[in-house]
Amino acid sequence: MASTFVNVGPIKGLDYVGFRPSRPLKLNSGRTQFDPRPLRRLTVRAGDGDGPVGKTRLSDAECEAAVVAGNVPQAPPAPPKPAAPAGTPVVPLLPLSRRPRRNRRSPALRAAFQETSLSPANFVYPLFIHEGQEDTPIGAMPGCYRLGWRHGLVEEVAKARDVGVNSIVLFPKIPDALKNATGDEAYNDDGLVPRSIRLLKDKFPDLVIYTDVALDPYSSDGHDGIVREDGVIMNDETVHQLCKQAVSQARAGADVVSPSDMMDGRVGAIRNALDAEGFHHVSIMSYTAKYASSFYGPFREALDSNPRFGDKKTYQMNPANYREALVEAGEDESEGADILLVKPGLPYLDIIRLLRDSSSLPIAAYQVSGEYSMIKAGGALKMIDEEKVMLESLMCLRRAGADIILTYFAMQAARSLCGEKR
Ligand code: PBG
């Protein structure tokens, strides 16, 4: 009914009847300001505007009768057309049937038509851990630390949960003395990762813990798999180790094991190994399309996990390849992956969209260390607005089709999102 009154102008030869809301609208040079409080009922008081203020309320029928009789209540006039600056060219209007700017013209309209949202619930927070008691800053990743697993880790998780980030993924820095050619420390039930999982689950039973499944932090060669003497990364033997690693993590309480090694057939093998040990409920997030990227540099510094020789190009994908991601996705899906991950993130938005459109599984994007460091560096040098670029990059990953985002910005972004809502 309210719309009946919109744009009611003076009707020739008829007097206005006063029309007043039960709470005064703020009138500012003829403009009604947007008031976010819910609309209340409008009350017409008899006699308003054309005589002494009456105290009796008119019934709906009386109000209608007044209008029918020509006593139309008054409403503010529409605001005058705003003036353009002097010198603005006077031009005929373009004959446009569609002006997309109409849907962008106010914050309320823009909010109504926003297609993608960003929430702390979408974030998975990668955390570096070590055996030490102190938190050691990581030079190439300002704001990130190797956290002491007993104290720093627990405090960081508590802070993240305070702003709605309840998912983490753990990356361990393993002492050199525990590394060997076959990465056996990876499945030590009392190793750094299983110990940290048990501690976190004890303190925060509902925390969602993702783990990394790969041999590189445990390998004396710094590779994700076992290296043969001729330099070949052995596939099936590595998968055997990864299965033991995943089961050990599940035994400690991991919710989602995440093979990041890119060996063939590891998802199916890990699924079988988990099921055989009674871990049907533990999910697998597969690094499906993980590229041999130079954006991982700061991460390898953080974990001291640079390959001792060569590169990872015989198992990680060629950054030039698009169709190959479909081959990987097909295998991982049929082997039982629960989540498909694309890594890195922003330079690979086309791959995220490709997997989003070709699979019904949830898609994860990993905004990797190099992406994080570039935004941090640009911000520190005042070349870009760090906070805005951070939020935009995360939104773009969501728009491309990522359900969840692994990001070192998880806590900072969540804080920023909470601040905006306040
Ligand atoms: C190793 C692993 C890497 C990352 C996550 N897991 C490095 C690599 O493949 O060399 C990189 C993460 C980042 O750069 O933020 N399995």
Side-chain angles (χ1 to χ4, degrees), residues 214 216 224 260 290 296 299-300 312 316 343 368-369 408:
D216 53 332
D224 291 24
S260 68
K290 178 176 179 177
Y296 308 151
F299 174 97
R300 293 182 190 168
K312 300 192 173 184
Q316 298 180 351
K343 175 183 176 180
V368 299
S369 54
Y408 304 98

Side-chain angles (χ1 to χ4, degrees), residues 126 128 141 171 212-217 222 224 260-261 287 290-291 293 295-300 303 305 307 312 315-316 343 366-370 408:
F128 300 110
M141 300 176 71
F171 292 104
D212 192 61
V213 180
L215 297 186
D216 53 332
D224 291 24
S260 68
D261 55 287
Y287 285 58
K290 178 176 179 177
Y291 287 86
S293 169
F295 284 93
Y296 308 151
F299 174 97
R300 293 182 190 168
L303 295 189
S305 66
K312 300 192 173 184
Y315 44 109
Q316 298 180 351
K343 175 183 176 180
Y366 198 144
Q367 183 181 53
V368 299
S369 54
Y408 304 98

Side-chain angles (χ1 to χ4, degrees), residues 140 142 295 298 346-347 368-381 383-384 386 389 409:
F295 284 93
L346 217 54
V368 299
S369 54
E371 299 176 69
Y372 171 84
S373 299
M374 288 196 305
I375 295 174
K376 280 286 179 187
L381 293 172
M383 288 175 170
I384 53 169
E386 176 183 320
V389 172
F409 280 123

Side-chain angles (χ1 to χ4, degrees), residues 243 266-276 279-284 335-338:
C243 289
R266 89 281 209 215
V267 171
I270 290 173
R271 184 71 272 159
N272 288 339
L274 290 173
D275 291 352
F279 298 113
H280 306 88
H281 55 284
V282 173
S283 312
I284 299 177
E335 290 174 34
D338 299 284

Side-chain angles (χ1 to χ4, degrees), residues 52-172:
V53 176
K55 288 275 178 266
T56 27
R57 243 186 223 176
L58 296 180
S59 68
D60 291 359
E62 287 168 321
C63 290
E64 289 189 353
V67 172
V68 171
N71 289 329
V72 179
Q74 212 160 32
K81 203 174 162 198
T88 301
V90 179
V91 297
L93 285 181
L94 295 172
L96 303 179
S97 63
R98 189 162 307 285
R99 288 177 181 262
R101 289 184 56 190
R102 280 197 282 264
N103 287 347
R104 304 197 286 263
R105 70 189 188 279
S106 73
L109 287 168
R110 289 195 293 277
F113 303 131
Q114 178 161 328
E115 298 174 32
T116 308
S117 65
L118 189 61
S119 146
N122 303 126
F123 301 150
V124 179
Y125 192 15
L127 297 172
F128 300 110
I129 52 177
H130 69 157
E131 295 286 1
Q133 309 252 355
E134 304 292 323
D135 300 337
T136 317
I138 297 165
M141 300 176 71
C144 291
Y145 298 80
R146 277 182 218 136
L147 301 165
W149 71 278
R150 273 190 224 84
H151 304 293
L153 170 64
V154 175
E155 284 158 24
E156 191 72 3
V157 168
K159 282 191 248 166
R161 283 160 59 90
D162 279 348
V163 288
V165 177
N166 198 33
S167 300
I168 60 151
V169 53
L170 294 174
F171 292 104

